[in-house]
């Protein structure tokens, strides 16, 4: 498996929010599971550390992070500061093609919600924010937005929300309308109030049960993939 695939699997498992915090990851075990060298695994773990999905402690290794609500407040505040700036910038600079792309996106969100397709709706809700960051065309803004949004996604998975997704569909539409109308002040206000509402929808879960380790989840994922590969010729026959 190449580094990009390993990174994709590990980041997805880490973002699923099922892991306890402060658990050291076994580089040896992960290298064995993926069938790659320890150096390769270490490289991927460092990248995940930069993305704040893991904590890298010098001379000790990589550890899972316990996302907590106190930290969450700071992250949401940072998102408001960054994303309201993004909204202001986009209201002034969006191209017609980008407006159309956003229109399609909010329509797809509404459609997923109408169908009751929670999984797609949740994925699209998060993507809305990634898409706005991408549309700024600024790699630094994109990187910062990616880090902050990823951190709040971990929180959302970890803590109960009053809805299936914390992002309100109508709130995204309000942001979109302000952006499409080039209404800078309105776009900033809509983004700020949306992110404040998202934050208030987070509810702590009474107790987080001891879950499986990352290594166990990786082993299950790889076994499932192998079973999937094996199933292809049978299904084709
Ligand atoms: Zn949202």
């Amino acid at each position: 498996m190449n580094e990009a695939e390993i990174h994709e699997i590990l980041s997805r498992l880490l973002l699923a929010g099922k892991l306890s915090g402060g658990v050291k990851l076994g580089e040896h075990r992960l290298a064995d599971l993926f069938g790659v060298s320890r150096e390769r695994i270490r490289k991927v773990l460092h990248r995940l550390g930069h993305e704040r999905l893991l904590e890298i402690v010098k001379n000790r290794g990589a550890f899972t992070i316990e996302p907590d609500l106190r930290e969450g407040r700071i992250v949401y505040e940072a998102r408001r500061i960054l994303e309201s700036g993004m909204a202001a910038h986009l209201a002034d600079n969006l191209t017609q093609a980008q407006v159309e792309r956003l229109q399609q996106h909010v329509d797809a969100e509404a459609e997923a919600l109408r169908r009751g397709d929670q999984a797609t709706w949740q994925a699209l809700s998060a993507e809305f924010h990634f898409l706005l960051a991408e549309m700024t065309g600024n790699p630094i803004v994109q990187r910062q937005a990616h880090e902050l949004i990823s951190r709040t996604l971990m929180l959302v998975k970890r803590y109960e929300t009053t809805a299936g997704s914390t992002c309100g569909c109508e709130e995204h539409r309000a942001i979109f309308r302000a952006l499409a109308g080039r209404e800078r002040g309105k776009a900033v206000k809509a983004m700020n109030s949306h992110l404040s509402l998202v934050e208030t929808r987070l509810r702590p879960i009474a107790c987080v049960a001891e879950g499986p380790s990352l290594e166990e989840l990786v082993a299950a994922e790889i076994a499932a993939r192998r079973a999937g590969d094996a199933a292809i010729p049978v299904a084709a026959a």
Side-chain angles (χ1 to χ4, degrees), residues 204-222:
I205 295 170
C207 152
V208 178
E210 276 293 307
S213 70
L214 180 68
E215 289 85 345
E216 284 163 347
L217 292 175
V218 167
E221 168 98 22
I222 288 171

Side-chain angles (χ1 to χ4, degrees), residues 79 125 128-129 167-168 172 194-195 198:
R79 279 193 63 177
S125 292
F128 176 74
H129 294 269
C167 276
H172 281 183
H194 169 51
L195 290 174
V198 164

Side-chain angles (χ1 to χ4, degrees), residues 80-94 132 136 175 178-179 182-189 191-192:
R80 281 191 291 275
I81 295 168
L82 180 68
E83 294 188 56
S84 63
M86 276 164 39
H89 177 83
L90 292 174
D92 291 344
N93 294 290
L94 274 186
L132 293 178
T136 65
I175 295 166
L179 289 176
R182 322 279 169 185
E183 295 171 282
R184 191 180 225 263
K186 225 179 186 176
V188 169
K189 227 171 158 180
M191 178 61 85
N192 271 327

